Amino acid sequence: MDITAPITLKGDVLIIPVGDLDDRTRQGIDCEDGDFAISRPRSRSTSTVVDEAAAALIEQFRTPRTIVEAVVLFSNARHFDATDVLDDAYRLVRQMMDQGFMVAPGDAGDEAQPSELRPQYSRGDRVGEAEVLRLMQLVEDTEVYLARRVESGNACVLKIQRSDAQMSVTHFDSEARVLATLGGVVAPALVEAGSMDGRAFLLMEHCGGLESEIAAFECRQPGPHQRRRQLTLLQGIARAYATLHEHQVVHGDVHPRNVLVDEARGVRVIDFGLGALRADGANSVSHARGGVAFFHEPETARAALDNRVWPPVTEAGEQYSVAALLYYLLTGAHYVDFSLGRAELMREIAETPPMALAARGVADWPELEACLFKGLAKNPADRFPSTKALAEALERIAIREPEGAADTAAADDRQARAVLSDAVEHVLRQTELDQPWFSSGLPLGPTASLNYGAAGVAYVLGRLAASRQDAALLARADAWACRAAQLARDDANAFTNASGELSPETVGTVSPYHTRSGVAAVRALIAHMAGDDDGHGRALADFLTAAGERVENLDLTLGLSSTILGAAQLWRTLPRGASQSRPRLLAFGNDRVTRLWTEIDAQPAIVSSGITNLGVAHGWGGFIYATLMWCEQTGTPVPAPVAGRLDELSRLAEPAGRGTKWPWMLTTGSDANYMPGWCNGSAGYVHLWTAAARLLPSNDRFVDLATGAAWDTFDAPDASGTLCCGLAGRAYALLALHRHTGDGRWLERARTLGYRAAVGAFEPDYPHSLYKGLLVLPVLAADLDEPVSAAQPFF
C-alpha cells in the first residue's frame, strides 16, 4: 500500500455507535460501550467493530486524504503526537482496505450513498424466459429477483450481474456449470444461462422453504419431540452437503441463509456463486473465496493471519464449515464466542476449541457433541474422512429427549394462556357500565361505529355472552348497542373523528364497519341472542335502509361488497317465522351481488384492470369473498364469473418461504407491497381460499392455496396485535384453515399467534376499536378455546 497516495471511504460506509444498535444485534457482538460498528449495506464486506478513536480516524477519510494527512488532522484535534499514531493508523487503514471499506479515489466502489444503489429492473420487465416480479436481494455486484417463466407461469429466480459490477462473468459461468452438474439435486435446477445488455444472468428454479436459522429456532422450542426435530434437521443438512460433495461440488459459502428447509424438513442449498466443481477428481478447487467468516475453516483463518492467499475450498474444509453451521443451528450460538475484530476472529477460528454443548444449554447428548467436535477438528486429518461420513455418524445418533421438556412446554403454554387471560380481563373491565368508556364516553371518535366505537363493544360483549351463556354480559351488550344507536343519532363524531383521518369521504355511507348500517346490524345480532324477534325485525329494517344507498365503491370494508357481507352475517340470525324479513333480505343481497358482478364483468383481466388492489379489505379478494359468503349462507348459486376470477387471482400467487403470498397492489414489486395481515395480505387469502374450497370444485387446489397463504401468515415477523393488520387477524386465518382441514397443527399455530397478540405490547391509537385495537382479545381468546365455532368478528 502506497502511504503517499490518497485514500477515501466508500460512499456507503456507515459508522454507527453500538449503543444505537438494537439489543439483539448488540448481544451478538463483542463490543464495549462507546465502540462503533463499521458496515456497508448491500455489500459483501464483513462488518467490524472499532473503538471511538479508531472511528474518529476513519471518519477523516470521508474526504480523500493520504494517511499522513488524516493522522495529522486527527492528532491535532486530540492533541496527540502524530508520530505515535502513525503506525497504528497504517495498520487500521490496511485493514479497512482489505475489508472493502476504503479505496483509492475513483476506484470501483467509490459510489454514492446506498439510497442511490437502485435495482435495474421493475415488476413486469422481461429477462430471458422470465418476467420480473420483485427484488429479492441487491448487493454491489449482483441483483436477485423473484420472476415467473413466461411460458409455464412457474416461479423462478433471476440472478443478474449489475452493469457497474466488477464481478467476473466467469463467476456466473462457474455457477451455471455447478447447477447443471447437480441437475436440481439438493439445489435449484438451472433453467437458463445467458447475458443481457452485456450482463451475465442465470434463471434458476425457485426453492421454497425457511432459512435454516428460523427452522432451527422452531425445532429448539420445548416439547415432547424437541430433540427428534433438531436431529432430523441436522441430519438433513449434513446429507445435503454430502450429496454436493459426492457430485464433485463444493459450495464455498456455508451459512444459515444459504440453506432452506421446507415444511417436511427437506433441505435445499442455494447460492453457488462461490461454488465450484472439483477439478479432475482433485480434493480442492481453485476459486475465489468469500462467505461468512464465522463459518470459515482454520486453514483459511491461518492464511489470513499470515497474510497469505487464502487456500481453495476443499471438502475437508467445507466439512468444518458444515459442522460449525450444525452447532449454530443446534444451540442458537456459534461454537466460540467470537470477537468481531478481524485478526482476533481469525485467531479464534484457528486455535480456540468449541465450547461444550452443555455451556450452550444442550445437556446429556455426548454422541452428538462428539460428532460435531470431530467435524470441528482444527487439523483436517482429525475430521471425518468425508462429509458423507459425518452425515452417517449423525444418522447413528440415539435420541434422548431432555427430561422435563414436556413440562417446560406445558408451563410455557400456561404462562401464555395466563397473559391472554389477563389481557381479556383488562379489556372487559373497561367495558363495564360504571367505567369511563361508558360513563364518560369513548376517548376518541368515531364513537358509534362497529370498527371503532360503541357498536364494536356491543358486538364483542354479545359474542362473549353467547360463548359463556352469560345473561349479565348480554345485558351489558344491549346497553352498549343502545348507546351506539343514541350516538349514531346525536354525536357529530359518531362515524368520523376530529382529526379528519376518518371523514364521510373516506368511510362512505353504507359500510357496516363504518356507518349506521353497522350499528343496526349489531342491534339485530344482540336482539337475536336475546330472542327479541320484534327488535330484530326493526334493526334489520334499519340495516336495509342504511345499507341500501347507492354506492360506487366496490370494496369489502367501505363499499358495495361490505353490504353483501353484512347481509350474509344477518341471514344466519333470521328467526324461523321471519316471513317478511327473509324475502326482503334475500332480495337485497341478490341485488347487491348482481350489481357487483355487473361492475366486475366490465373489467378486463385482473392484471389489466383499473382495480389494482388484490387484497380482501379493498380489492379483488374481498369482492369474491363477500360473494361466496352470501352464496354459502343463503344457498344461492355462485355467479359463473367467480371461478374465472379465482383462477386469475391464483395465477398471481408468488412463493414466499415455505408458503405463498400475493402483492398488495399490482403496480409495484417492492417489499412494502406484501404483508401477512388480514386487510391486504396473506391472512385474508386464507379465508378466501377456504371459502372457495367449500363452495366450488377443484377444492384440493384451493386448499393448497389456503395452506400456502397460511404459512406466510404464520412465518412473517410480528407486527401489531390488531385484527385488521396484525396478529389477531392472522390467528383467525389459521383458525379458519384448522376448521376446514381438521389439522390440529394449525390450531396450535393459531394459539401461538393469539398469545403473541396479547404478549406483544402495542399501544393502538384506538384501544377500544374492534379491528384497530385491543377490543378483539376477549372474542379471540374464546375462539381459541372453542375453535369449532370460531369466527372472525363480523367477517
Side-chain angles (χ1 to χ4, degrees):
M1 183 175 72
D2 185 355
I3 196 171
T4 65
I7 299 164
T8 189
L9 276 175
K10 290 189 174 183
D12 57 353
V13 171
L14 302 179
I15 303 178
I16 307 167
V18 296
D20 291 349
L21 300 175
D22 62 83
D23 290 342
R24 181 178 178 184
T25 301
R26 191 173 179 183
Q27 289 168 5
I29 62 177
D30 181 17
C31 62
E32 304 289 339
D33 291 340
D35 284 351
F36 286 74
I38 314 296
S39 180
R40 285 187 63 213
R42 303 191 185 280
S43 83
R44 300 186 185 276
S45 304
T46 302
S47 298
T48 193
V49 172
V50 299
D51 62 23
E52 182 274 334
L57 178 59
I58 291 168
E59 283 284 6
Q60 293 292 332
F61 292 94
R62 292 287 184 194
T63 300
R65 291 191 171 98
T66 66
I67 294 178
V68 172
E69 289 171 337
V71 166
V72 169
L73 290 169
F74 169 81
S75 301
N76 287 345
R78 292 173 176 254
H79 306 292
F80 291 163
D81 185 335
T83 57
D84 293 338
V85 174
L86 189 59
D87 284 347
D88 287 339
Y90 179 85
R91 286 192 291 271
L92 177 64
V93 170
R94 179 61 184 265
Q95 176 187 341
M96 292 295 101
M97 294 189 74
D98 287 346
Q99 291 184 259
F101 295 115
M102 291 184 181
V103 290
D107 280 1
D110 184 16
E111 61 270 325
Q113 295 302 315
S115 60
E116 297 184 15
L117 185 60
R118 297 187 179 93
Q120 298 173 116
Y121 297 99
S122 302
R123 186 182 187 91
D125 288 345
R126 178 83 176 263
V127 178
E129 297 181 10
E131 178 183 292
V132 169
L133 294 176
R134 70 172 186 270
L135 180 71
M136 297 175 70
Q137 184 183 45
L138 172 61
V139 292
E140 57 194 341
D141 52 20
T142 309
E143 298 175 17
V144 181
Y145 295 88
L146 180 70
R148 180 178 285 121
R149 296 179 68 181
V150 175
E151 291 297 324
S152 66
N154 293 336
C156 59
V157 172
L158 166 67
K159 182 175 184 179
I160 189 164
Q161 182 183 19
R162 283 187 59 80
S163 58
D164 53 355
Q166 297 300 300
M167 176 182 280
S168 170
V169 173
T170 57
H171 284 77
F172 283 82
D173 292 341
S174 175
E175 184 167 6
R177 289 196 301 274
V178 166
L179 294 178
T181 297
L182 292 171
V185 176
V186 303
L190 180 65
V191 175
E192 182 184 3
S195 64
M196 181 172 179
D197 300 329
R199 297 189 294 277
F201 74 82
L202 300 173
L203 281 182
M204 298 165 281
E205 170 196 11
H206 178 272
C207 297
L210 289 178
E211 291 178 0
S212 61
E213 186 168 11
I214 302 172
F217 174 80
E218 284 189 354
C219 292
R220 288 197 300 271
Q221 300 314 297
H225 303 294
Q226 175 190 349
R227 288 199 166 179
R228 183 177 299 279
R229 295 193 302 267
Q230 290 179 288
L231 187 57
T232 298
L233 176 63
L234 303 191
Q235 290 167 341
I237 294 171
R239 281 197 304 270
Y241 275 95
T243 300
L244 294 183
H245 294 166
E246 288 177 328
H247 281 74
Q248 307 297 302
V249 169
V250 286
H251 184 215
D253 197 8
V254 177
H255 64 77
R257 294 189 304 279
N258 278 344
V259 178
L260 300 180
V261 183
D262 65 23
E263 59 192 88
R265 297 199 179 90
V267 173
R268 304 290 287 277
V269 181
I270 61 170
D271 193 356
F272 287 80
L274 297 175
L277 296 169
R278 292 210 305 248
D280 300 323
N283 198 37
S284 66
V285 290
S286 178
H287 199 65
R289 294 303 308 271
V292 175
F294 301 129
F295 302 98
H296 284 336
E297 71 276 23
E299 300 91 292
T300 291
R302 294 187 192 106
L305 289 169
D306 296 341
N307 288 318
R308 292 184 282 111
V309 175
W310 288 12
V313 185
T314 67
E315 181 179 331
E318 191 146 277
Q319 180 192 144
Y320 185 98
S321 301
V322 171
L325 174 63
L326 299 182
Y327 185 106
Y328 178 75
L329 297 177
L330 174 71
T331 66
H334 293 292
Y335 63 92
V336 170
D337 288 329
F338 288 118
S339 305
L340 278 192
R342 176 181 168 83
E344 186 62 18
L345 169 62
M346 292 299 172
R347 187 195 64 76
E348 289 163 345
I349 293 171
E351 301 173 4
T352 305
M355 295 178 67
L357 293 184
R360 298 300 196 196
V362 181
D364 191 29
W365 212 346
E367 303 96 332
L368 180 56
E369 181 170 89
C371 184
L372 294 179
F373 280 25
K374 186 172 179 65
L376 288 167
K378 302 300 180 182
N379 184 349
D382 294 332
R383 298 171 199 154
F384 288 97
S386 67
T387 310
K388 180 181 179 182
L390 166 63
E392 290 172 342
L394 286 169
E395 299 282 357
R396 292 192 294 270
I397 290 175
I399 298 171
R400 294 195 181 100
E401 296 292 351
E403 291 186 11
D407 294 339
T408 301
D412 290 345
D413 183 66
R414 286 194 298 271
Q415 182 179 8
R417 287 174 180 269
V419 170
L420 181 55
S421 177
D422 289 346
V424 167
E425 293 309 311
H426 170 72
V427 172
L428 287 180
R429 277 195 300 273
Q430 296 186 80
T431 69
E432 292 174 357
L433 303 187
D434 60 351
Q435 294 299 306
W437 278 10
F438 191 89
S439 61
S440 304
L442 295 174
L444 294 168
T447 59
S449 73
L450 174 60
N451 195 351
Y452 290 98
V457 179
Y459 178 90
V460 166
L461 293 172
R463 282 280 302 272
L464 207 59
S467 173
R468 296 182 179 183
Q469 295 293 294
D470 188 325
L473 272 180
L474 185 58
R476 196 193 308 178
D478 185 58
W480 274 100
C482 292
R483 170 61 62 86
Q486 177 261 318
L487 290 167
R489 290 191 304 269
D490 303 334
D491 189 353
N493 287 324
F495 304 108
T496 60
N497 59 13
S499 70
E501 175 194 3
L502 297 166
S503 65
E505 291 72 29
T506 55
V507 302
T509 59
V510 300
S511 168
Y513 293 105
H514 295 285
T515 74
R516 63 184 67 249
S517 74
V519 175
V522 171
R523 285 172 41 225
L525 291 169
I526 300 298
H528 166 68
M529 295 173 191
D532 179 4
D533 291 352
D534 290 340
H536 181 277
R538 290 192 298 272
L540 178 60
D542 289 344
F543 169 81
L544 294 174
T545 299
E549 294 185 25
R550 186 75 185 179
V551 61
E552 299 299 324
N553 190 329
L554 301 183
D555 77 44
L556 180 135
T557 55
L558 299 171
L560 185 62
S561 296
S562 73
T563 65
I564 298 170
L565 185 61
Q569 297 287 311
L570 293 178
W571 183 268
R572 67 185 73 179
T573 71
L574 287 172
R576 290 183 179 179
S579 57
Q580 294 181 341
S581 299
R582 189 175 300 273
R584 288 186 63 200
L585 185 56
L586 184 64
F588 173 89
N590 285 341
D591 174 69
R592 290 275 155 151
V593 168
T594 299
R595 289 192 200 179
L596 174 65
W597 286 92
T598 299
E599 293 280 349
I600 291 176
D601 280 346
Q603 293 285 335
I606 290 176
V607 294
S608 307
S609 75
I611 304 172
T612 58
N613 192 309
L614 298 183
V616 163
H618 301 291
W620 285 94
F623 309 156
I624 302 170
Y625 180 80
T627 303
L628 293 175
M629 288 298 94
W630 174 253
C631 295
E632 183 173 34
Q633 292 301 316
T634 63
T636 304
V638 176
V642 166
R645 294 301 189 177
L646 281 170
D647 184 62
E648 290 181 55
L649 202 55
S650 72
R651 286 187 270 114
L652 293 171
E654 299 177 9
R658 53 184 167 181
T660 306
K661 64 185 178 183
W662 282 257
W664 178 342
M665 304 288 287
L666 282 173
T667 53
T668 176
S670 71
D671 287 343
N673 198 33
Y674 303 85
M675 67 174 296
W678 166 82
C679 53
N680 295 297
S682 300
Y685 286 103
V686 179
H687 293 283
L688 172 65
W689 296 117
T690 52
R694 291 194 302 270
L695 273 74
L696 297 171
S698 304
N699 60 334
D700 288 346
R701 176 170 172 254
F702 294 139
V703 172
D704 289 344
L705 289 163
T707 302
W711 276 119
D712 188 62
T713 299
F714 180 68
D715 288 335
D718 287 359
S720 72
T722 65
L723 184 54
C724 178
C725 311
L727 288 163
R730 290 160 59 184
Y732 267 112
L734 304 190
L735 279 172
L737 187 58
H738 164 66
R739 288 198 315 276
H740 186 82
T741 63
D743 187 339
R745 291 172 295 183
W746 288 113
L747 173 57
E748 291 308 310
R749 293 171 189 134
R751 285 175 174 155
T752 297
L753 295 189
Y755 298 155
R756 287 187 348 219
V759 171
F762 67 100
E763 294 294 334
D765 293 335
Y766 299 91
H768 46 79
S769 169
L770 176 59
Y771 265 71
K772 296 284 190 177
L774 299 166
L775 192 58
V776 69
L777 290 179
V779 179
L780 176 59
D783 283 343
L784 290 171
D785 285 339
E786 297 291 339
V788 173
S789 57
Q792 180 169 317
F794 211 85
F795 180 68

